[in-house]
Amino acid sequence: MTDTSKIDIRGVTKNYGDVRAVNEVDLVIEGGSYCCMIGPSGCGKTTLLRMIAGHETPSAGQILIGAEDMAHARTGNRGTALMFQNYALFPHLSLTDNVAFSLKVKGQPTAERREKAREMLDRVQLLHLADRVPSELSGGQQQRVALARALITNPRVLLLDEPLSALDEFLRLRMRVELKRLQNELGITFVHVTHTQPEAIALADQVVVMDHGTVEQAASPREIYDRPFSPYIARFMGGQNVLEARVTALNGEVGEATGANGVVYDVHDTAGLEMEQTIRLSIRRDKIAMKSADRPDRNAASGTVMNTEYQGTFVKVSLRTETGEEFIVYQDDAEFFANPSHVGETVNAHWDGALNHLLRGQNTSSGNPLEE
Amino acid sequence: MSASNAKRGVSFYLLAAFFTLFVVFLYGPMLIIFVLSFQGETGGLTFPMRGTSLHWFSDLFSSSRYGDLAGGFRRSTGLGLMSMTITAVCCLFAGLAFRSRFWGSGTLFYLCIVSLVVPGILLGLGISQFFQILGFRLQWWLSGLGAHLSWTLPFGLLIMFAVLNRYDNAWDEAARDAGATPRQILGWVTVPILFPGLIAVALFGFTLSYDELPRSILTVGGKNTLPIEISNMTTNVTTPALYAIGTVTSFVSFAVIALAFGLIAFIQKRRARA
């Protein structure tokens, strides 16, 4: 099963006139895995998904599903099923006939295909509505019908185009669990396009972060979140502060870089670095200690508190550093309330230098992160 | 409601009066003709009514004084049905084609629309000359049909655009994703979803052709359509039979429209059944 549902994308490019929507993408999605493609709108993630489904033809490159080249495989005949963003349920057909549609295309007799469709509707707990038409259903119910319609062909690969974006917050979280459970149960490959960072982190075995038609990083969610490749990913995925510094020491086990404000940062991963080179480091917002008595001059930041936001399990403290940059600390709630920071106060923060992560990628676009 | 009553200013009453005039002007003449068509046997073209009767309706069908009304009705209905079919089919495909902005689509669209603007009588003259140059005799079902299509096709296309505005192309893609061929997509998804809209297009195709006069006069050849026959009657006939034919043709038009709306309502009710 897993080998036949592996997706291999080789040097795929898609041009629309002068616009290059997807730019020489190489990507392997393991069979039976849950892959989330994420990026700001216009980054090419949906175009890539539609090329896997066969709704768009690559301008160059190859797409293989289960080692078969899909160049000449017709849409609907390549073992993929696409779930559309607004579900695209047929408004003139009952739920049964919506779900049975692809079986009708295959020429199955009416009674037989309706029976199968009803079984599938039962599986998504909608059998009692089998004779309704889509307009009589709620958003969450429509989504489950769309899912049933996509799965009735037993696809090797299920492609989902922003499947949760039309749902309210409560339903979104519930359907998220449902999707993950379904993927575990079926053991097929899910490719899920989203622009919501927590969704990708929560669902995926593999997160593919895209920007400007290229894959910026493809890795496990933990890797992406903890060890982002570039400043863009660090900012887009959230939870990180990005610091700019100049390399000032390379001899010795741990290198050093100095920020504009004179603070020295440890650099552990010095391979390939040169003296005086400008680098960027990321440090997780939740690994920072607040309220040092003295102003430390190593692996530290100080600034004026601009805002504090209670988030339940932690407090988000926003500082403006002397160089005018934003620096955010996620402080444990108990710790914060034991010794709260107030807006306008100047505070010092420091952290363990071993946590400094070197961002090797050069992409610094902000990618309009939706999280804040 | 009473709160807004208190606030009604002069503009409300002016606009209400204007609207009343509009309605009277719209339906008043029709109502007069409708009433006068039931004039008594001895009555004339104007009020007062001298009793009521169905005499002028039977006169219409039995007397030969009024020209070839039955033939005109047959030809106009036939022409209407042909225009309707061609308009519905062509506008469906043209509308689907215009969904994607192909090269020259803007120019093509304006070319289609121009024949709505050209005066009908001139267009009819052109068409009759054109057919004679090509060596065809003028016939109601050939040159007449062509003239009517120059009117119903662009009109139908405009309505089709409005209909397609509410069509989600993802429906086609969902069908394609299920493996459907272009023909299956058209037959099982596109046409069924668009069907109520297509009825509207067909309806316009029929009624616009059924009562078209300017484009018909010079193009139908020796045998007249109903509007031409009625137009001739207005100059020759001086009896209330003139009103009777007005009532009959209006009734046919209303019946066709009611039938079409009934069909649309029926389909939509079946789709939205609880």
Side-chain angles (χ1 to χ4, degrees):
Chain A
M1 188 70 216
T2 52
D3 275 349
T4 58
S5 61
K6 174 178 167 177
I7 303 171
D8 195 344
I9 296 167
R10 296 179 183 167
V12 164
T13 292
K14 178 71 188 178
N15 300 318
Y16 291 107
D18 295 336
V19 182
R20 180 159 284 200
V22 172
N23 192 358
E24 288 178 37
V25 165
D26 290 296
L27 178 68
V28 174
I29 300 169
E30 289 304 331
S33 68
Y34 202 123
C35 170
C36 278
M37 301 209 275
I38 185 167
S41 48
C43 72
K45 57 192 192 298
T46 299
T47 308
L48 193 57
L49 188 83
R50 289 171 57 82
M51 284 194 283
I52 299 172
H55 288 291
E56 307 281 349
T57 316
S59 308
Q62 239 186 339
I63 295 175
L64 290 84
I65 300 177
E68 276 171 73
D69 189 354
M70 288 292 125
H72 301 290
R74 231 162 46 82
T75 314
N77 209 2
R78 40 169 73 193
T80 61
L82 175 59
M83 207 177 98
F84 290 81
Q85 190 172 3
N86 294 315
Y87 318 134
L89 297 174
F90 303 125
H92 63 303
L93 298 178
S94 68
L95 299 198
T96 311
D97 287 339
N98 257 288
V99 175
F101 187 84
S102 60
L103 303 179
K104 181 177 179 179
V105 169
K106 289 197 174 68
Q108 280 196 14
T110 312
E112 194 180 314
R113 66 171 190 255
R114 288 212 168 126
E115 185 52 42
K116 281 188 188 157
R118 291 172 66 84
E119 276 167 28
M120 201 47 135
L121 281 170
D122 194 24
R123 222 173 141 170
V124 294
Q125 291 108 44
L126 285 176
L127 186 58
H128 60 294
L129 300 174
D131 295 324
R132 302 279 184 95
V133 290
S135 60
E136 296 165 344
L137 270 62
S138 70
Q141 289 169 334
Q142 289 189 16
Q143 204 225 22
R144 275 160 37 208
V145 178
L147 208 51
R149 185 176 68 175
L151 289 174
I152 198 157
T153 52
N154 297 319
R156 300 183 273 180
V157 175
L158 183 67
L159 306 165
L160 307 111
D161 187 4
E162 307 213 0
L164 306 176
S165 62
L167 305 176
D168 63 53
E169 188 63 25
F170 175 73
L171 218 50
R172 186 156 41 226
L173 293 180
R174 248 185 45 191
M175 287 313 294
R176 196 163 93 181
V177 175
E178 196 76 357
L179 282 178
K180 185 72 184 167
R181 186 186 60 79
L182 201 64
Q183 194 263 342
N184 275 331
E185 209 175 283
L186 297 169
I188 62 172
T189 307
F190 274 37
V191 183
H192 173 142
V193 160
T194 178
H195 58 247
T196 321
Q197 171 264 117
E199 201 169 295
I201 296 277
L203 282 170
D205 300 315
Q206 181 189 26
V207 176
V208 177
V209 189
M210 293 187 67
D211 189 40
H212 292 107
T214 58
V215 171
E216 186 80 11
Q217 188 175 12
S220 71
R222 184 121 193 253
E223 178 88 10
I224 296 258
Y225 193 72
D226 231 16
R227 310 186 60 78
F229 174 69
S230 64
Y232 157 70
I233 295 191
R235 292 195 186 107
F236 185 73
M237 298 311 284
Q240 304 268 3
N241 287 301
V242 176
L243 305 162
E244 198 174 277
R246 212 159 25 83
V247 178
T248 44
L250 281 172
N251 39 0
E253 217 166 286
V254 178
E256 277 178 8
T258 311
N261 52 358
V263 179
V264 175
Y265 306 114
D266 294 353
V267 184
H268 287 262
D269 175 21
T270 54
L273 293 185
E274 285 167 23
M275 286 295 281
E276 295 301 315
Q277 185 186 344
T278 301
I279 57 166
R280 291 182 184 82
L281 300 165
S282 68
I283 177 70
R284 273 176 58 167
R285 291 169 179 177
D286 56 339
K287 302 285 187 193
I288 296 165
M290 290 280 285
K291 297 272 184 183
S292 334
D294 310 313
R295 192 184 148 175
D297 53 5
R298 208 175 169 90
N299 303 313
S302 65
T304 315
V305 177
M306 301 304 289
N307 190 31
T308 63
E309 228 176 53
Y310 179 52
Q311 305 271 347
T313 54
F314 66 90
V315 179
K316 181 180 165 188
V317 183
S318 308
L319 308 181
R320 184 177 293 280
T321 62
E322 301 109 321
T323 52
E325 275 163 79
E326 194 178 46
F327 189 91
I328 293 168
V329 181
Y330 292 166
Q331 196 179 4
D332 179 79
D333 62 329
E335 200 184 289
F336 177 88
F337 289 111
N339 185 9
S341 302
H342 300 285
V343 172
E345 195 181 331
T346 301
V347 294
N348 300 316
H350 66 96
W351 61 89
D352 176 2
L355 298 172
N356 288 344
H357 168 67
L358 176 67
L359 300 166
R360 289 194 173 267
Q362 296 304 308
N363 187 347
T364 58
S365 69
S366 67
N368 73 59
L370 289 153
E371 190 213 355
E372 49 239 334
Chain B
M1 201 65 206
S2 58
S4 64
N5 268 341
K7 282 181 193 159
R8 275 176 188 164
V10 183
S11 60
F12 173 81
Y13 293 101
L14 277 175
L15 287 170
F18 183 74
F19 181 71
T20 310
L21 271 177
F22 169 73
V23 170
V24 167
F25 196 76
L26 200 62
Y27 293 103
M30 217 193 304
L31 201 68
I32 290 170
I33 285 183
F34 180 72
V35 170
L36 281 174
S37 65
F38 294 97
Q39 180 71 282
E41 280 186 44
T42 54
L45 277 174
T46 53
F47 285 110
M49 298 283 283
R50 290 169 194 266
T52 55
S53 73
L54 293 173
H55 171 78
W56 301 109
F57 289 94
S58 64
D59 191 41
L60 204 58
F61 293 110
S62 57
S63 166
S64 59
R65 279 184 294 157
Y66 306 122
D68 188 13
L69 277 181
F73 177 72
R74 263 203 320 278
R75 282 187 285 278
S76 272
T77 311
L79 207 48
L81 289 174
M82 284 195 285
S83 299
M84 177 181 96
T85 313
I86 296 171
T87 303
V89 172
C90 290
C91 290
L92 169 66
F93 289 107
L96 293 177
F98 271 111
R99 281 187 301 180
S100 52
R101 290 269 152 265
F102 53 88
W103 188 85
S105 61
T107 318
L108 195 64
F109 171 71
Y110 287 114
L111 272 177
C112 293
I113 298 307
V114 160
S115 73
L116 284 181
V117 184
V118 176
I121 191 92
L122 272 184
L123 205 93
L125 183 62
I127 287 171
S128 73
Q129 291 303 314
F130 183 66
F131 270 75
Q132 280 163 340
I133 289 167
L134 289 179
F136 290 108
R137 281 188 58 195
L138 293 177
Q139 303 275 8
W140 62 269
W141 49 266
L142 189 66
S143 48
L145 179 64
H148 282 202
L149 288 177
S150 76
W151 177 231
T152 59
L153 282 179
F155 219 104
L157 187 61
L158 288 180
I159 300 164
M160 200 63 212
F161 282 167
V163 170
L164 279 171
N165 235 341
R166 290 167 59 183
Y167 189 81
D168 184 355
N169 291 337
W171 288 324
D172 285 9
E173 285 189 338
R176 193 147 64 99
D177 204 70
T181 60
R183 195 175 292 231
Q184 287 171 329
I185 296 174
L186 188 72
W188 291 345
V189 176
T190 314
V191 169
I193 293 175
L194 289 177
F195 200 68
L198 279 175
I199 293 176
V201 173
L203 174 69
F204 272 95
F206 181 83
T207 55
L208 288 176
S209 159
Y210 179 71
D211 63 6
E212 175 62 15
L213 178 64
R215 275 156 228 258
S216 306
I217 295 174
L218 297 171
T219 56
V220 294
K223 301 223 163 119
N224 285 339
T225 57
L226 192 61
I228 301 177
E229 290 291 345
I230 294 173
S231 169
N232 290 343
M233 272 176 75
T234 57
T235 54
N236 307 332
V237 178
T238 52
T239 67
L242 193 57
Y243 300 139
I245 186 71
T247 303
V248 170
T249 50
S250 302
F251 177 75
V252 170
S253 288
F254 280 130
V256 169
I257 292 169
L259 196 73
F261 278 117
L263 201 56
I264 293 174
F266 174 71
I267 291 166
Q268 279 174 346
K269 194 172 172 185
R270 211 181 50 175
R271 279 184 196 174
R273 107 216 96 141

